[in-house]
Coordinates of all heavy atoms in Angstrom, one line a residue:
A11 N -4.4 -19.9 16.1 CA -4.1 -19.5 14.7 C -4.9 -18.2 14.3 O -4.4 -17.3 13.6 CB -4.4 -20.6 13.7
L12 N -6.1 -18.1 14.8 CA -7.0 -16.9 14.5 C -6.5 -15.7 15.2 O -6.7 -14.6 14.7 CB -8.4 -17.2 14.8 CG -9.1 -18.2 14.0 CD1 -10.5 -18.5 14.5 CD2 -9.2 -17.7 12.5
C13 N -5.8 -15.9 16.3 CA -5.4 -14.7 17.1 C -4.1 -14.1 16.6 O -3.7 -13.0 17.0 CB -5.2 -15.1 18.6 SG -6.8 -15.6 19.4
Q14 N -3.4 -14.8 15.7 CA -2.1 -14.2 15.2 C -2.4 -13.0 14.3 O -3.4 -13.0 13.6 CB -1.4 -15.3 14.4 CG -0.9 -16.4 15.2 CD -0.1 -17.4 14.4 OE1 -0.1 -17.3 13.2 NE2 0.4 -18.4 15.0
A15 N -1.5 -12.1 14.4 CA -1.6 -10.9 13.6 C -1.3 -11.2 12.1 O -0.4 -12.1 11.9 CB -0.6 -9.8 14.1
P16 N -2.0 -10.6 11.2 CA -1.7 -10.9 9.8 C -0.3 -10.4 9.4 O 0.3 -9.5 10.0 CB -2.8 -10.2 9.0 CG -3.2 -9.1 9.9 CD -3.0 -9.6 11.3
H17 N 0.3 -11.1 8.4 CA 1.6 -10.7 7.9 C 1.5 -9.3 7.3 O 0.6 -9.0 6.5 CB 2.1 -11.7 6.9 CG 3.4 -11.4 6.3 ND1 4.6 -11.5 7.1 CD2 3.8 -11.0 5.1 CE1 5.6 -11.2 6.4 NE2 5.2 -10.9 5.1
R18 N 2.5 -8.4 7.6 CA 2.5 -7.1 7.1 C 3.7 -6.9 6.2 O 4.8 -7.3 6.5 CB 2.6 -6.1 8.3 CG 1.3 -6.1 9.1 CD 1.4 -5.3 10.3 NE 1.6 -3.9 9.9 CZ 1.8 -2.9 10.8 NH1 1.9 -3.2 12.1 NH2 2.0 -1.7 10.4
V19 N 3.4 -6.2 5.1 CA 4.4 -5.9 4.1 C 4.3 -4.4 3.7 O 3.2 -3.9 3.6 CB 4.3 -6.7 2.8 CG1 5.3 -6.4 1.8 CG2 4.4 -8.2 3.2
A20 N 5.4 -3.7 3.5 CA 5.4 -2.3 3.0 C 6.0 -2.3 1.7 O 7.1 -2.9 1.5 CB 6.1 -1.4 4.0
I21 N 5.4 -1.6 0.7 CA 6.0 -1.4 -0.6 C 6.3 0.0 -0.8 O 5.4 0.9 -0.7 CB 5.0 -1.9 -1.7 CG1 4.7 -3.4 -1.5 CG2 5.5 -1.6 -3.1 CD1 3.6 -3.9 -2.4
R22 N 7.5 0.3 -1.1 CA 8.0 1.7 -1.4 C 7.9 1.8 -2.9 O 8.7 1.2 -3.6 CB 9.4 1.9 -0.9 CG 10.0 3.2 -1.4 CD 9.5 4.4 -0.7 NE 9.8 4.4 0.7 CZ 9.1 5.1 1.5 NH1 8.2 6.0 1.1 NH2 9.3 5.1 2.8
A23 N 7.0 2.6 -3.4 CA 6.8 2.7 -4.9 C 7.2 4.1 -5.3 O 6.9 5.1 -4.7 CB 5.3 2.5 -5.2
G24 N 8.0 4.1 -6.4 CA 8.4 5.4 -7.0 C 7.2 6.2 -7.5 O 7.1 7.4 -7.3
R25 N 6.3 5.5 -8.2 CA 5.1 6.1 -8.7 C 3.9 5.1 -8.5 O 4.1 3.9 -8.6 CB 5.2 6.4 -10.2 CG 6.1 7.6 -10.5 CD 6.5 7.6 -11.9 NE 7.2 6.4 -12.4 CZ 8.4 6.0 -12.1 NH1 9.2 6.8 -11.4 NH2 8.9 4.9 -12.6
L26 N 2.8 5.6 -8.2 CA 1.6 4.8 -8.0 C 0.5 5.3 -8.9 O 0.1 6.5 -8.8 CB 1.1 4.8 -6.6 CG -0.3 4.1 -6.3 CD1 -0.2 2.6 -6.5 CD2 -0.7 4.4 -4.9
I27 N 0.0 4.5 -9.8 CA -1.2 4.8 -10.6 C -2.4 4.2 -9.9 O -2.5 3.0 -9.8 CB -1.1 4.3 -12.0 CG1 0.1 4.9 -12.7 CG2 -2.4 4.5 -12.8 CD1 0.4 4.4 -14.1
N28 N -3.3 5.0 -9.3 CA -4.3 4.5 -8.5 C -5.7 4.4 -9.2 O -6.7 3.9 -8.7 CB -4.5 5.3 -7.2 CG -4.9 6.7 -7.4 OD1 -5.1 7.1 -8.5 ND2 -4.9 7.5 -6.3
G29 N -5.7 5.0 -10.4 CA -7.0 4.9 -11.2 C -7.9 6.0 -10.9 O -9.0 6.1 -11.5
K30 N -7.6 6.9 -9.9 CA -8.5 7.9 -9.5 C -7.9 9.3 -9.9 O -8.6 10.2 -10.2 CB -8.8 7.9 -8.0 CG -9.6 6.7 -7.6 CD -9.9 6.7 -6.2 CE -10.7 5.4 -5.8 NZ -11.0 5.4 -4.4
S31 N -6.6 9.4 -9.7 CA -5.9 10.7 -10.0 C -5.6 10.8 -11.4 O -5.4 9.8 -12.1 CB -4.6 10.8 -9.1 OG -4.9 10.7 -7.8
D32 N -5.4 12.0 -11.9 CA -5.0 12.3 -13.3 C -3.5 11.9 -13.5 O -3.1 11.5 -14.6 CB -5.3 13.7 -13.7 CG -6.8 14.0 -13.8 OD1 -7.5 13.0 -14.0 OD2 -7.1 15.2 -13.8
K33 N -2.7 12.2 -12.5 CA -1.3 11.9 -12.6 C -0.9 10.8 -11.5 O -1.5 10.7 -10.5 CB -0.5 13.2 -12.3 CG -0.7 14.3 -13.3 CD 0.1 15.5 -12.9 CE -0.1 16.6 -14.0 NZ 0.7 17.8 -13.7
P34 N 0.2 10.1 -11.8 CA 0.7 9.1 -10.8 C 1.1 9.8 -9.5 O 1.6 11.0 -9.6 CB 1.8 8.5 -11.5 CG 1.7 8.8 -13.0 CD 0.9 10.1 -13.1
L35 N 0.9 9.2 -8.4 CA 1.4 9.7 -7.1 C 2.9 9.3 -7.0 O 3.3 8.2 -7.4 CB 0.6 9.1 -6.0 CG -0.9 9.3 -6.0 CD1 -1.6 8.5 -4.9 CD2 -1.2 10.8 -5.9
E36 N 3.7 10.2 -6.5 CA 5.1 10.0 -6.4 C 5.5 9.6 -5.0 O 5.0 10.1 -4.0 CB 5.9 11.3 -6.8 CG 5.6 11.9 -8.2 CD 6.2 11.1 -9.3 OE1 7.3 10.5 -9.0 OE2 5.7 11.0 -10.4
N37 N 6.6 8.8 -4.9 CA 7.2 8.3 -3.7 C 6.1 7.9 -2.6 O 5.8 8.6 -1.7 CB 8.0 9.4 -3.1 CG 8.9 9.0 -1.9 OD1 9.1 7.8 -1.8 ND2 9.2 9.9 -1.1
V38 N 5.5 6.8 -2.9 CA 4.3 6.3 -2.1 C 4.7 5.1 -1.2 O 5.5 4.2 -1.7 CB 3.1 6.0 -3.0 CG1 2.0 5.4 -2.2 CG2 2.7 7.2 -3.7
L39 N 4.3 5.0 0.0 CA 4.4 3.8 0.8 C 3.1 3.1 1.0 O 2.1 3.7 1.4 CB 5.0 4.2 2.2 CG 5.2 3.0 3.1 CD1 6.5 2.3 2.7 CD2 5.4 3.5 4.6
I40 N 3.0 1.9 0.5 CA 1.8 1.1 0.6 C 2.0 0.0 1.7 O 3.0 -0.8 1.6 CB 1.5 0.4 -0.8 CG1 1.5 1.5 -1.9 CG2 0.2 -0.4 -0.7 CD1 1.6 0.9 -3.3
V41 N 1.2 0.0 2.7 CA 1.3 -1.0 3.7 C 0.1 -2.0 3.5 O -1.0 -1.7 3.4 CB 1.2 -0.4 5.1 CG1 1.2 -1.4 6.2 CG2 2.3 0.6 5.3
I42 N 0.5 -3.3 3.5 CA -0.4 -4.4 3.2 C -0.4 -5.3 4.5 O 0.6 -5.7 4.9 CB 0.0 -5.2 2.0 CG1 0.0 -4.3 0.8 CG2 -1.0 -6.4 1.8 CD1 0.7 -4.9 -0.4
E43 N -1.6 -5.6 5.0 CA -1.8 -6.5 6.1 C -2.6 -7.7 5.7 O -3.8 -7.5 5.3 CB -2.5 -5.7 7.3 CG -1.7 -4.6 7.9 CD -2.4 -4.0 9.1 OE1 -3.5 -4.4 9.4 OE2 -1.8 -3.0 9.6
G44 N -2.0 -8.8 5.7 CA -2.7 -10.0 5.2 C -2.8 -9.9 3.7 O -1.9 -9.8 3.0
D45 N -4.1 -9.9 3.3 CA -4.4 -9.7 1.8 C -5.1 -8.4 1.5 O -5.7 -8.3 0.5 CB -5.1 -10.9 1.3 CG -6.5 -11.1 2.0 OD1 -6.7 -10.4 3.0 OD2 -7.3 -11.9 1.6
K46 N -5.0 -7.4 2.4 CA -5.7 -6.2 2.2 C -4.7 -5.0 2.3 O -3.8 -5.0 3.1 CB -6.8 -6.0 3.3 CG -7.8 -7.1 3.3 CD -9.2 -6.6 3.4 CE -10.2 -7.7 3.6 NZ -10.7 -8.2 2.4
I47 N -5.0 -4.0 1.5 CA -4.2 -2.7 1.6 C -4.6 -2.0 2.9 O -5.8 -1.6 3.0 CB -4.3 -1.9 0.4 CG1 -3.8 -2.7 -0.8 CG2 -3.6 -0.6 0.5 CD1 -4.0 -2.0 -2.2
A48 N -3.7 -1.7 3.8 CA -4.1 -1.1 5.0 C -3.9 0.5 4.9 O -4.8 1.2 5.4 CB -3.2 -1.5 6.2
S49 N -2.9 0.9 4.2 CA -2.7 2.4 4.0 C -1.9 2.7 2.8 O -1.1 1.8 2.4 CB -2.1 3.0 5.2 OG -0.8 2.5 5.4
V50 N -2.1 3.8 2.2 CA -1.3 4.4 1.1 C -0.9 5.8 1.5 O -1.8 6.6 1.7 CB -2.1 4.4 -0.2 CG1 -1.2 5.0 -1.3 CG2 -2.5 3.0 -0.6
V51 N 0.4 6.0 1.7 CA 0.8 7.3 2.2 C 1.9 7.9 1.3 O 2.8 7.1 1.0 CB 1.4 7.2 3.7 CG1 1.8 8.5 4.2 CG2 0.3 6.5 4.6

């Protein structure tokens, strides 16, 4: 059970408000592995 890869989900977001940028990011792909955000591109 520990050796299994975590479940992966990709979210295609039209806009992303990340709390750091002044403007929302457009057309973003968020990849989630298990319960952690793996990447935001």
